[in-house]
Amino acid sequence: MSTQTELDQETAQAIPVLAEDVGVWDGEAEIRTGPGAPPMRHKAMTTYRLVGGRWLTLDYKADSGFEGHGVYGWDPTKRKYAGIWVDSMQTTIARGEGTWDPATRTATYTFETMGPNGIVRYRETIERPDRDTRIYRNLMPGRDGTEFEMIHVVHKRRK
């Protein structure tokens, strides 16, 4: 069993990982509707802020009209990162759990939401190669069960 002190220490280590994203970011996105489909491109702006010192909120707005809102944080009971996502194309809330790999500076989340044919599970990764760059990938299950990269966004911190 973990002590409250151990859980508090884990939380104290998790929050700075989230806080690294605070600010305004400009993004170049590629979206594919399916495996092998040609990419649709758009530019976007994402604003991140920390709520209560522990919840990272983000507002994503693309020049295509697409908008999304996410909330990410640390769940000390599950000892994992947690997130929710809503956007202008979904009719339900996506809920996810994630991990952080400090060696690769990559967060990996598994999300679940309802699609037209039932539950959809997908993965997203957020790689941070340096302080001012984020690479976001949304990996969806294809019809054959393999993943395909539906969304790829390179974000640069606005200075």
Side-chain angles (χ1 to χ4, degrees):
M1 283 236 37
S2 298
T3 66
Q4 187 59 47
T5 302
E6 288 172 327
L7 293 175
D8 290 345
Q9 288 173 341
E10 288 177 359
T11 299
Q13 292 171 352
I15 300 306
V17 170
L18 297 168
E20 283 185 33
D21 288 342
V22 170
V24 178
W25 298 72
D26 294 309
E28 299 274 337
E30 290 187 355
I31 294 110
R32 288 180 170 77
T33 56
M40 296 177 284
R41 292 180 171 80
H42 69 244
K43 294 185 184 300
M45 180 183 79
T46 307
T47 303
Y48 292 87
R49 66 187 186 90
L50 216 50
V51 174
R54 69 181 324 131
W55 295 102
L56 183 70
T57 66
L58 73 95
D59 289 299
Y60 181 93
K61 293 187 181 192
D63 62 5
S64 65
F66 177 84
E67 292 183 58
H69 179 76
V71 179
Y72 293 80
W74 176 254
D75 183 338
T77 59
K78 292 186 178 181
R79 300 171 90 168
K80 293 184 177 191
Y81 288 91
I84 62 165
W85 178 258
V86 294
D87 64 43
S88 55
M89 295 186 70
Q90 291 184 186
T91 58
T92 62
I93 296 173
R95 291 172 174 80
E97 291 184 345
T99 59
W100 169 251
D101 180 348
T104 63
R105 296 191 39 79
T106 301
T108 303
Y109 286 84
T110 302
F111 274 86
E112 196 171 275
T113 191
M114 287 300 292
N117 299 316
I119 295 173
V120 176
R121 289 177 184 85
Y122 64 92
R123 239 174 13 107
E124 65 178 34
T125 63
I126 305 120
E127 179 187 350
R128 298 175 178 156
D130 60 57
R131 175 172 159 55
D132 296 322
T133 306
R134 292 175 74 255
I135 301 168
Y136 170 85
R137 291 182 169 104
N138 179 292
L139 303 154
M140 295 297 283
R143 290 195 173 128
D144 64 358
T146 61
E147 288 182 324
F148 76 95
E149 188 177 79
M150 188 171 103
I151 304 170
H152 183 104
V153 186
V154 176
H155 298 272
K156 293 291 188 178
R157 186 185 302 272
R158 192 177 284 180
K159 301 199 181 191

PDB file of all heavy atoms in Angstrom, residues 24-48:
ATOM      1  N   VAL A  24       0.759  29.719 -25.056  1.00  0.00           N
ATOM      2  CA  VAL A  24       0.063  29.702 -26.347  1.00  0.00           C
ATOM      3  C   VAL A  24       0.983  29.045 -27.366  1.00  0.00           C
ATOM      4  O   VAL A  24       2.173  29.362 -27.441  1.00  0.00           O
ATOM      5  CB  VAL A  24      -0.315  31.134 -26.793  1.00  0.00           C
ATOM      6  CG1 VAL A  24      -0.996  31.113 -28.155  1.00  0.00           C
ATOM      7  CG2 VAL A  24      -1.202  31.795 -25.749  1.00  0.00           C
ATOM      8  N   TRP A  25       0.412  28.137 -28.142  1.00  0.00           N
ATOM      9  CA  TRP A  25       1.169  27.352 -29.115  1.00  0.00           C
ATOM     10  C   TRP A  25       0.514  27.468 -30.494  1.00  0.00           C
ATOM     11  O   TRP A  25      -0.707  27.470 -30.601  1.00  0.00           O
ATOM     12  CB  TRP A  25       1.179  25.882 -28.702  1.00  0.00           C
ATOM     13  CG  TRP A  25       1.839  25.618 -27.391  1.00  0.00           C
ATOM     14  CD1 TRP A  25       1.370  25.922 -26.146  1.00  0.00           C
ATOM     15  CD2 TRP A  25       3.093  24.992 -27.184  1.00  0.00           C
ATOM     16  NE1 TRP A  25       2.254  25.522 -25.190  1.00  0.00           N
ATOM     17  CE2 TRP A  25       3.327  24.940 -25.799  1.00  0.00           C
ATOM     18  CE3 TRP A  25       4.056  24.449 -28.048  1.00  0.00           C
ATOM     19  CZ2 TRP A  25       4.478  24.376 -25.262  1.00  0.00           C
ATOM     20  CZ3 TRP A  25       5.192  23.885 -27.499  1.00  0.00           C
ATOM     21  CH2 TRP A  25       5.395  23.853 -26.129  1.00  0.00           C
ATOM     22  N   ASP A  26       1.322  27.555 -31.529  1.00  0.00           N
ATOM     23  CA  ASP A  26       0.834  27.541 -32.910  1.00  0.00           C
ATOM     24  C   ASP A  26       1.113  26.161 -33.487  1.00  0.00           C
ATOM     25  O   ASP A  26       2.186  25.583 -33.262  1.00  0.00           O
ATOM     26  CB  ASP A  26       1.537  28.616 -33.735  1.00  0.00           C
ATOM     27  CG  ASP A  26       1.169  30.008 -33.254  1.00  0.00           C
ATOM     28  OD1 ASP A  26      -0.038  30.291 -33.128  1.00  0.00           O
ATOM     29  OD2 ASP A  26       2.087  30.805 -32.977  1.00  0.00           O
ATOM     30  N   GLY A  27       0.143  25.628 -34.221  1.00  0.00           N
ATOM     31  CA  GLY A  27       0.283  24.272 -34.740  1.00  0.00           C
ATOM     32  C   GLY A  27       0.034  24.152 -36.223  1.00  0.00           C
ATOM     33  O   GLY A  27      -0.750  24.908 -36.798  1.00  0.00           O
ATOM     34  N   GLU A  28       0.724  23.202 -36.816  1.00  0.00           N
ATOM     35  CA  GLU A  28       0.515  22.800 -38.208  1.00  0.00           C
ATOM     36  C   GLU A  28      -0.013  21.371 -38.136  1.00  0.00           C
ATOM     37  O   GLU A  28       0.693  20.472 -37.656  1.00  0.00           O
ATOM     38  CB  GLU A  28       1.830  22.824 -38.981  1.00  0.00           C
ATOM     39  CG  GLU A  28       2.498  24.183 -39.041  1.00  0.00           C
ATOM     40  CD  GLU A  28       1.977  25.035 -40.181  1.00  0.00           C
ATOM     41  OE1 GLU A  28       1.448  24.471 -41.157  1.00  0.00           O
ATOM     42  OE2 GLU A  28       2.096  26.261 -40.073  1.00  0.00           O
ATOM     43  N   ALA A  29      -1.239  21.152 -38.591  1.00  0.00           N
ATOM     44  CA  ALA A  29      -1.881  19.848 -38.446  1.00  0.00           C
ATOM     45  C   ALA A  29      -2.111  19.168 -39.783  1.00  0.00           C
ATOM     46  O   ALA A  29      -2.370  19.828 -40.797  1.00  0.00           O
ATOM     47  CB  ALA A  29      -3.221  20.008 -37.732  1.00  0.00           C
ATOM     48  N   GLU A  30      -2.020  17.836 -39.746  1.00  0.00           N
ATOM     49  CA  GLU A  30      -2.412  16.984 -40.863  1.00  0.00           C
ATOM     50  C   GLU A  30      -3.425  15.990 -40.329  1.00  0.00           C
ATOM     51  O   GLU A  30      -3.163  15.320 -39.330  1.00  0.00           O
ATOM     52  CB  GLU A  30      -1.213  16.228 -41.433  1.00  0.00           C
ATOM     53  CG  GLU A  30      -0.241  17.094 -42.166  1.00  0.00           C
ATOM     54  CD  GLU A  30       0.852  16.273 -42.855  1.00  0.00           C
ATOM     55  OE1 GLU A  30       0.905  15.033 -42.671  1.00  0.00           O
ATOM     56  OE2 GLU A  30       1.637  16.886 -43.594  1.00  0.00           O
ATOM     57  N   ILE A  31      -4.560  15.876 -41.001  1.00  0.00           N
ATOM     58  CA  ILE A  31      -5.613  14.950 -40.594  1.00  0.00           C
ATOM     59  C   ILE A  31      -5.912  14.021 -41.760  1.00  0.00           C
ATOM     60  O   ILE A  31      -6.075  14.476 -42.900  1.00  0.00           O
ATOM     61  CB  ILE A  31      -6.893  15.696 -40.168  1.00  0.00           C
ATOM     62  CG1 ILE A  31      -6.614  16.495 -38.906  1.00  0.00           C
ATOM     63  CG2 ILE A  31      -8.028  14.735 -39.880  1.00  0.00           C
ATOM     64  CD1 ILE A  31      -6.591  17.936 -39.131  1.00  0.00           C
ATOM     65  N   ARG A  32      -5.996  12.733 -41.447  1.00  0.00           N
ATOM     66  CA  ARG A  32      -6.346  11.735 -42.463  1.00  0.00           C
ATOM     67  C   ARG A  32      -7.652  11.060 -42.041  1.00  0.00           C
ATOM     68  O   ARG A  32      -7.815  10.687 -40.883  1.00  0.00           O
ATOM     69  CB  ARG A  32      -5.232  10.708 -42.596  1.00  0.00           C
ATOM     70  CG  ARG A  32      -4.015  11.270 -43.285  1.00  0.00           C
ATOM     71  CD  ARG A  32      -2.907  10.233 -43.414  1.00  0.00           C
ATOM     72  NE  ARG A  32      -1.843  10.707 -44.272  1.00  0.00           N
ATOM     73  CZ  ARG A  32      -0.917  11.595 -43.906  1.00  0.00           C
ATOM     74  NH1 ARG A  32      -0.930  12.084 -42.699  1.00  0.00           N
ATOM     75  NH2 ARG A  32       0.009  11.985 -44.758  1.00  0.00           N
ATOM     76  N   THR A  33      -8.537  10.866 -42.973  1.00  0.00           N
ATOM     77  CA  THR A  33      -9.827  10.241 -42.670  1.00  0.00           C
ATOM     78  C   THR A  33      -9.737   8.719 -42.603  1.00  0.00           C
ATOM     79  O   THR A  33     -10.655   8.071 -42.114  1.00  0.00           O
ATOM     80  CB  THR A  33     -10.886  10.644 -43.707  1.00  0.00           C
ATOM     81  OG1 THR A  33     -10.400  10.293 -45.005  1.00  0.00           O
ATOM     82  CG2 THR A  33     -11.164  12.133 -43.637  1.00  0.00           C
ATOM     83  N   GLY A  34      -8.643   8.171 -43.084  1.00  0.00           N
ATOM     84  CA  GLY A  34      -8.447   6.729 -43.046  1.00  0.00           C
ATOM     85  C   GLY A  34      -7.045   6.381 -43.491  1.00  0.00           C
ATOM     86  O   GLY A  34      -6.304   7.246 -43.979  1.00  0.00           O
ATOM     87  N   PRO A  35      -6.654   5.112 -43.334  1.00  0.00           N
ATOM     88  CA  PRO A  35      -5.317   4.699 -43.755  1.00  0.00           C
ATOM     89  C   PRO A  35      -5.095   4.992 -45.240  1.00  0.00           C
ATOM     90  O   PRO A  35      -5.941   4.688 -46.075  1.00  0.00           O
ATOM     91  CB  PRO A  35      -5.311   3.192 -43.496  1.00  0.00           C
ATOM     92  CG  PRO A  35      -6.398   2.961 -42.500  1.00  0.00           C
ATOM     93  CD  PRO A  35      -7.428   4.020 -42.767  1.00  0.00           C
ATOM     94  N   GLY A  36      -3.987   5.624 -45.539  1.00  0.00           N
ATOM     95  CA  GLY A  36      -3.652   5.933 -46.927  1.00  0.00           C
ATOM     96  C   GLY A  36      -4.370   7.126 -47.514  1.00  0.00           C
ATOM     97  O   GLY A  36      -4.108   7.504 -48.657  1.00  0.00           O
ATOM     98  N   ALA A  37      -5.298   7.727 -46.784  1.00  0.00           N
ATOM     99  CA  ALA A  37      -6.026   8.894 -47.305  1.00  0.00           C
ATOM    100  C   ALA A  37      -5.088  10.092 -47.369  1.00  0.00           C
ATOM    101  O   ALA A  37      -4.187  10.231 -46.537  1.00  0.00           O
ATOM    102  CB  ALA A  37      -7.221   9.215 -46.420  1.00  0.00           C
ATOM    103  N   PRO A  38      -5.295  10.963 -48.342  1.00  0.00           N
ATOM    104  CA  PRO A  38      -4.444  12.153 -48.406  1.00  0.00           C
ATOM    105  C   PRO A  38      -4.719  13.059 -47.202  1.00  0.00           C
ATOM    106  O   PRO A  38      -5.854  13.129 -46.711  1.00  0.00           O
ATOM    107  CB  PRO A  38      -4.872  12.834 -49.719  1.00  0.00           C
ATOM    108  CG  PRO A  38      -6.232  12.303 -49.999  1.00  0.00           C
ATOM    109  CD  PRO A  38      -6.308  10.941 -49.382  1.00  0.00           C
ATOM    110  N   PRO A  39      -3.691  13.745 -46.711  1.00  0.00           N
ATOM    111  CA  PRO A  39      -3.897  14.585 -45.529  1.00  0.00           C
ATOM    112  C   PRO A  39      -4.625  15.887 -45.851  1.00  0.00           C
ATOM    113  O   PRO A  39      -4.435  16.466 -46.919  1.00  0.00           O
ATOM    114  CB  PRO A  39      -2.481  14.875 -45.046  1.00  0.00           C
ATOM    115  CG  PRO A  39      -1.636  14.781 -46.272  1.00  0.00           C
ATOM    116  CD  PRO A  39      -2.300  13.748 -47.142  1.00  0.00           C
ATOM    117  N   MET A  40      -5.465  16.287 -44.923  1.00  0.00           N
ATOM    118  CA  MET A  40      -6.045  17.631 -44.949  1.00  0.00           C
ATOM    119  C   MET A  40      -5.176  18.441 -43.990  1.00  0.00           C
ATOM    120  O   MET A  40      -4.810  17.950 -42.922  1.00  0.00           O
ATOM    121  CB  MET A  40      -7.493  17.614 -44.470  1.00  0.00           C
ATOM    122  CG  MET A  40      -8.412  16.817 -45.356  1.00  0.00           C
ATOM    123  SD  MET A  40     -10.108  16.756 -44.697  1.00  0.00           S
ATOM    124  CE  MET A  40      -9.901  15.561 -43.392  1.00  0.00           C
ATOM    125  N   ARG A  41      -4.849  19.654 -44.361  1.00  0.00           N
ATOM    126  CA  ARG A  41      -3.964  20.464 -43.534  1.00  0.00           C
ATOM    127  C   ARG A  41      -4.688  21.678 -42.988  1.00  0.00           C
ATOM    128  O   ARG A  41      -5.535  22.255 -43.676  1.00  0.00           O
ATOM    129  CB  ARG A  41      -2.751  20.905 -44.339  1.00  0.00           C
ATOM    130  CG  ARG A  41      -1.842  19.747 -44.704  1.00  0.00           C
ATOM    131  CD  ARG A  41      -0.622  20.193 -45.500  1.00  0.00           C
ATOM    132  NE  ARG A  41       0.335  19.112 -45.664  1.00  0.00           N
ATOM    133  CZ  ARG A  41       0.235  18.140 -46.558  1.00  0.00           C
ATOM    134  NH1 ARG A  41      -0.789  18.097 -47.385  1.00  0.00           N
ATOM    135  NH2 ARG A  41       1.152  17.191 -46.638  1.00  0.00           N
ATOM    136  N   HIS A  42      -4.344  22.037 -41.759  1.00  0.00           N
ATOM    137  CA  HIS A  42      -4.838  23.295 -41.201  1.00  0.00           C
ATOM    138  C   HIS A  42      -3.844  23.834 -40.183  1.00  0.00           C
ATOM    139  O   HIS A  42      -2.955  23.132 -39.723  1.00  0.00           O
ATOM    140  CB  HIS A  42      -6.253  23.162 -40.616  1.00  0.00           C
ATOM    141  CG  HIS A  42      -6.356  22.335 -39.382  1.00  0.00           C
ATOM    142  ND1 HIS A  42      -7.061  21.174 -39.337  1.00  0.00           N
ATOM    143  CD2 HIS A  42      -5.860  22.501 -38.130  1.00  0.00           C
ATOM    144  CE1 HIS A  42      -6.996  20.659 -38.122  1.00  0.00           C
ATOM    145  NE2 HIS A  42      -6.279  21.446 -37.371  1.00  0.00           N
ATOM    146  N   LYS A  43      -4.008  25.105 -39.911  1.00  0.00           N
ATOM    147  CA  LYS A  43      -3.223  25.767 -38.869  1.00  0.00           C
ATOM    148  C   LYS A  43      -4.124  25.910 -37.653  1.00  0.00           C
ATOM    149  O   LYS A  43      -5.340  26.044 -37.782  1.00  0.00           O
ATOM    150  CB  LYS A  43      -2.745  27.129 -39.347  1.00  0.00           C
ATOM    151  CG  LYS A  43      -1.754  27.044 -40.493  1.00  0.00           C
ATOM    152  CD  LYS A  43      -1.214  28.414 -40.849  1.00  0.00           C
ATOM    153  CE  LYS A  43      -0.302  28.380 -42.052  1.00  0.00           C
ATOM    154  NZ  LYS A  43       0.867  27.568 -41.927  1.00  0.00           N
ATOM    155  N   ALA A  44      -3.485  25.890 -36.483  1.00  0.00           N
ATOM    156  CA  ALA A  44      -4.269  25.953 -35.255  1.00  0.00           C
ATOM    157  C   ALA A  44      -3.520  26.717 -34.180  1.00  0.00           C
ATOM    158  O   ALA A  44      -2.304  26.906 -34.262  1.00  0.00           O
ATOM    159  CB  ALA A  44      -4.583  24.548 -34.766  1.00  0.00           C
ATOM    160  N   MET A  45      -4.279  27.137 -33.187  1.00  0.00           N
ATOM    161  CA  MET A  45      -3.711  27.772 -32.006  1.00  0.00           C
ATOM    162  C   MET A  45      -4.257  27.021 -30.794  1.00  0.00           C
ATOM    163  O   MET A  45      -5.453  26.724 -30.730  1.00  0.00           O
ATOM    164  CB  MET A  45      -4.106  29.235 -31.920  1.00  0.00           C
ATOM    165  CG  MET A  45      -3.530  29.926 -30.692  1.00  0.00           C
ATOM    166  SD  MET A  45      -4.081  31.630 -30.542  1.00  0.00           S
ATOM    167  CE  MET A  45      -5.704  31.370 -29.869  1.00  0.00           C
ATOM    168  N   THR A  46      -3.373  26.698 -29.864  1.00  0.00           N
ATOM    169  CA  THR A  46      -3.780  26.027 -28.633  1.00  0.00           C
ATOM    170  C   THR A  46      -3.322  26.866 -27.452  1.00  0.00           C
ATOM    171  O   THR A  46      -2.164  27.268 -27.398  1.00  0.00           O
ATOM    172  CB  THR A  46      -3.174  24.619 -28.527  1.00  0.00           C
ATOM    173  OG1 THR A  46      -3.473  23.894 -29.718  1.00  0.00           O
ATOM    174  CG2 THR A  46      -3.730  23.879 -27.327  1.00  0.00           C
ATOM    175  N   THR A  47      -4.244  27.124 -26.539  1.00  0.00           N
ATOM    176  CA  THR A  47      -3.936  27.863 -25.319  1.00  0.00           C
ATOM    177  C   THR A  47      -4.065  26.912 -24.139  1.00  0.00           C
ATOM    178  O   THR A  47      -5.112  26.273 -23.966  1.00  0.00           O
ATOM    179  CB  THR A  47      -4.899  29.053 -25.139  1.00  0.00           C
ATOM    180  OG1 THR A  47      -4.811  29.884 -26.302  1.00  0.00           O
ATOM    181  CG2 THR A  47      -4.555  29.864 -23.902  1.00  0.00           C
ATOM    182  N   TYR A  48      -2.995  26.807 -23.370  1.00  0.00           N
ATOM    183  CA  TYR A  48      -2.957  25.951 -22.183  1.00  0.00           C
ATOM    184  C   TYR A  48      -2.861  26.817 -20.945  1.00  0.00           C
ATOM    185  O   TYR A  48      -2.111  27.800 -20.934  1.00  0.00           O
ATOM    186  CB  TYR A  48      -1.711  25.058 -22.191  1.00  0.00           C
ATOM    187  CG  TYR A  48      -1.677  24.011 -23.255  1.00  0.00           C
ATOM    188  CD1 TYR A  48      -1.171  24.292 -24.522  1.00  0.00           C
ATOM    189  CD2 TYR A  48      -2.114  22.729 -22.997  1.00  0.00           C
ATOM    190  CE1 TYR A  48      -1.107  23.324 -25.501  1.00  0.00           C
ATOM    191  CE2 TYR A  48      -2.058  21.747 -23.973  1.00  0.00           C
ATOM    192  CZ  TYR A  48      -1.546  22.055 -25.222  1.00  0.00           C
ATOM    193  OH  TYR A  48      -1.488  21.087 -26.187  1.00  0.00           O
TER     194      TYR A  48
END
